[in-house]
Amino acid sequence: MYISPAVKIVLENAKTFSERNEVVELLLENKNPYVSNTLVTNLYKSVLDKSYIDFGNIPESKGDLTKYEGYKNMMEVISIVKELSEKYDTKIPELNIVETTIENIITYRDIFEKGFKMNKSFIILQY
């Protein structure tokens, strides 16, 4: 059976056999007509851009998460996963937690920016 490079990359990140099986079921287009080519392509691009997950660069955004270089990619991945969960009518509570956390960080951006300017380690650590 041929496995595309996109599926291989996503499978590398699956930690258990059940996760691997779910990924294979989800990404193999012939087995599941509900997954569009666009979703698979976007997920593949996001996986390729995973190099942006560099926590060393987060402090460079100085409290404004939208200035973090991986922000756009992070939001695209969340959007794709959310869309897939809606198509499969699957609840992913962790996704809501991550979205709420990001919204809170953006909502309280002024506090985080002030904390960075004043070099407050507690605020920086929370950020």
Side-chain angles (χ1 to χ4, degrees):
M1 174 170 92
Y2 172 76
I3 298 177
S4 71
V7 174
K8 286 181 184 179
I9 290 173
V10 173
L11 285 174
E12 287 175 6
N13 293 299
K15 294 183 176 28
T16 65
F17 286 116
S18 64
E19 285 179 356
R20 289 178 66 100
N21 287 335
E22 288 176 20
V23 169
V24 170
E25 288 177 18
L26 183 66
L27 294 177
L28 292 177
E29 297 166 308
N30 296 336
K31 298 220 184 237
N32 198 330
Y34 299 108
V35 178
S36 70
N37 285 335
T38 305
L39 281 175
V40 174
T41 302
N42 288 341
L43 186 58
Y44 175 64
K45 287 178 185 176
S46 297
V47 169
L48 289 179
D49 291 339
K50 69 182 181 181
S51 63
Y52 285 109
I53 302 173
D54 179 5
F55 297 107
N57 291 336
I58 291 176
E60 292 176 15
S61 64
K62 303 214 184 283
D64 184 356
L65 189 61
T66 60
K67 292 181 181 175
Y68 170 57
E69 68 178 327
Y71 175 76
K72 182 180 176 187
N73 184 51
M74 178 175 59
M75 297 310 293
E76 286 174 3
V77 170
I78 290 171
S79 175
I80 292 167
V81 172
K82 189 174 188 177
E83 192 172 338
L84 287 172
S85 73
E86 288 170 0
K87 280 189 182 234
Y88 287 102
D89 195 29
T90 305
K91 302 225 183 288
I92 305 174
E94 296 84 2
L95 187 60
N96 292 332
I97 292 168
V98 170
E99 282 184 308
T100 302
T101 302
I102 290 171
E103 288 172 11
N104 286 337
I105 291 171
I106 292 171
T107 299
Y108 298 106
R109 171 185 355 204
D110 58 331
I111 294 170
F112 288 112
E113 287 177 330
K114 188 183 276 187
F116 269 86
K117 286 178 185 172
M118 298 175 71
N119 200 26
K120 297 292 183 183
S121 58
F122 180 73
I123 299 293
I124 294 171
L125 183 61
Q126 277 188 322
Y127 178 75

